[in-house]
Amino acid sequence: MQITKAQFQCSSEKISQLPKDGLPEFAFIGRSNVGKSSLVNMLTNHSGLAKVSGTPGKTRLINHFRINDTWFLVDLPGYGYARASRSQREQFARIITDYVMKGEHLHMLFVLVDARLEPQKIDLQFIEMLGEEGVPFGIVFTKTDKLSASQLNRNVTHYKTTLSEQWEEFPPIFLTSSEKKSGREELLAYIGNLVNQ
Ligand code: GTP
Ligand code: MG
């Protein structure tokens, strides 16, 4: 899929404010600082579209980006940011769960995980919850530019082994680097197929 048009549509702090257009939504979720906003910019080829920061906790609202006037890419706040205040964490958690559980047009949630890390408990718990709730999801490894091919291969295999303890089938898995712009075609082709169904 080619992206010919990418525009910021709106930021929502609660689901009653979500766009009412009824277009299919594809959202990025994951720990704070994992690279969700960077991936929005990489996919759309639009460096300033979503706000990126080296400091965790940058994205605080549900941000909708309208793509080709046919679907939305959705950038969500990160979870698990230890230095946020408790009330802030609870507010983020509420926004995320509300959107994930009640967002009517969410077609697929991509859980972003840092390719350098061991499977993190918070991600595994989140993935388990998605399974229980029947939310369709995929896994996107980020920051693969920070690893050699063999390290990456080892980490992905390890992740799959961990997932296979809970799951009979693997979700779709994507390897990306916003820095190197890798994994872009695969992810866009996957979304494109779902949009055109
Ligand atoms: P929150 O909005 O705080 O939840 O973070 P986020 O998940 O949106 O992360 P963001 O895109 O803001 O990126 C966090 C940091 O990681 C920034 O310093 C990015 O430049 C860096 N980063 C993101 N993706 C990549 C990548 O693929 N490779 C490298 N090397 N750095 C990346
Ligand atoms: Mg962000």
Side-chain angles (χ1 to χ4, degrees), residues 36-37 51 58-59 75-76:
K36 300 175 291 295
S37 302
K51 292 200 179 69
K58 181 69 181 172
T59 308
D75 189 19
L76 293 168

Side-chain angles (χ1 to χ4, degrees), residues 15-56:
I15 56 168
S16 59
Q17 299 169 334
L18 295 175
K20 311 270 187 291
D21 316 50
L23 298 178
E25 300 177 11
F26 298 85
F28 293 155
I29 188 76
R31 291 164 72 233
S32 213
N33 220 37
V34 69
K36 300 175 291 295
S37 302
S38 302
L39 191 60
V40 168
N41 293 341
M42 188 272 262
L43 291 182
T44 56
N45 239 328
H46 197 319
S47 62
L49 194 59
K51 292 200 179 69
V52 168
S53 166
T55 317

Side-chain angles (χ1 to χ4, degrees), residues 125-174:
Q125 282 171 343
F126 188 79
I127 289 169
E128 195 180 331
M129 188 267 298
L130 296 177
E132 283 163 6
E133 298 292 331
V135 178
F137 71 94
I139 295 183
V140 175
F141 289 92
T142 63
K143 309 192 184 184
T144 58
D145 55 283
K146 302 247 192 187
L147 295 174
S148 69
S150 65
Q151 285 171 321
L152 177 61
N153 194 14
R154 196 170 56 226
N155 287 3
V156 172
T157 305
H158 180 44
Y159 215 99
K160 284 184 169 171
T161 308
T162 307
L163 287 176
S164 64
E165 291 164 11
Q166 298 270 352
W167 299 84
E168 284 175 22
E169 271 177 63
F170 292 124
I173 290 177
F174 302 90

Side-chain angles (χ1 to χ4, degrees), residues 107-119:
H107 277 222
M108 182 101 182
L109 186 65
F110 294 97
V111 181
L112 275 58
V113 297
D114 188 324
R116 294 170 296 179
L117 305 180
E118 292 266 300

